Amino acid sequence: MNRMQKLGGLLAGMALTALAQAEPLNIEGIGLSRDVSCKGQDVNISGNANVIHLKGDCGAVEVSGSEHKVTLDTAKSLSVSGVEHEVVAERVNGLSVDTTDNQVRATVAGGEQPALVEVTGADQTLDLQFEGAVKLDVGGTNQQVRWRGEEPEVQMSGIDNRVERQ
């Protein structure tokens, strides 16, 4: 095999590896219980009443459906939509919570750009630790956001929403 063939094979292998890493990990079902190593991948969790622990560094994590219990170490972003989820994240760089009656506890860390936290829908309960610059946007109805750490830039709209320092 000449040098060009070896180089071509190496580049093709690298491209396949990059494509494999770009594929999100989809976890869908009812009543599943799993520990998953993220390895930098994006993760989508859907269905009902799954108990999932995401280990290591995750890309974008999306939780949808209903009644999931999710814990995760770190993620570039966390999006929670649906009904009655319980999510605990050690550290995320962005957070979105939508629909109704979700509970989220997380450390949100801003970097060079402020981290964005968006809360919409109704009856969400968030317990957040802020590190670095954070923009907090709360809308919808009857949201409860308790925070500690560095003071965020807060924008509020909607009905009966509360943002309180702990």
Side-chain angles (χ1 to χ4, degrees):
M1 192 181 276
N2 69 33
R3 286 181 111 188
M4 291 306 284
Q5 287 173 322
K6 286 180 184 178
L7 181 59
L10 177 62
L11 291 174
M14 289 171 53
L16 287 174
T17 300
L19 284 174
Q21 289 177 346
E23 283 293 313
L25 176 59
N26 294 308
I27 302 169
E28 51 188 303
I30 299 172
L32 303 175
S33 182
R34 279 185 74 182
D35 287 353
V36 177
S37 293
C38 285
K39 299 177 186 171
Q41 288 180 283
D42 293 346
V43 180
N44 300 319
I45 301 168
S46 61
N48 174 257
N50 296 314
V51 178
I52 307 296
H53 177 70
L54 301 174
K55 297 189 230 177
D57 294 329
C58 302
V61 174
E62 293 187 19
V63 179
S64 62
S66 61
E67 301 176 0
H68 299 303
K69 293 181 192 266
V70 178
T71 58
L72 63 102
D73 294 340
T74 63
K76 289 183 181 169
S77 65
L78 172 61
S79 175
V80 179
S81 66
V83 181
E84 297 182 8
H85 300 301
E86 294 179 24
V87 181
V88 177
E90 285 185 28
R91 186 181 186 91
V92 297
N93 299 111
L95 174 63
S96 171
V97 182
D98 189 14
T99 319
T100 188
D101 203 25
N102 295 300
Q103 296 179 27
V104 178
R105 188 174 69 220
T107 295
V108 179
E112 291 180 20
Q113 297 293 321
L116 180 59
V117 176
E118 296 177 296
V119 184
T120 58
D123 302 311
Q124 319 291 6
T125 303
L126 284 73
D127 181 5
L128 304 174
Q129 168 78 36
F130 294 140
E131 294 178 357
V134 174
K135 290 184 178 183
L136 174 61
D137 187 353
V138 180
T141 305
N142 199 34
Q143 318 289 20
Q144 289 186 25
V145 179
R146 292 182 302 270
W147 65 274
R148 60 193 176 285
E150 297 183 41
E151 188 158 351
E153 177 184 322
V154 179
Q155 194 163 46
M156 288 181 65
S157 62
I159 302 168
D160 293 329
N161 295 321
R162 288 180 300 229
V163 174
E164 316 175 310
R165 180 177 219 145
Q166 290 185 329

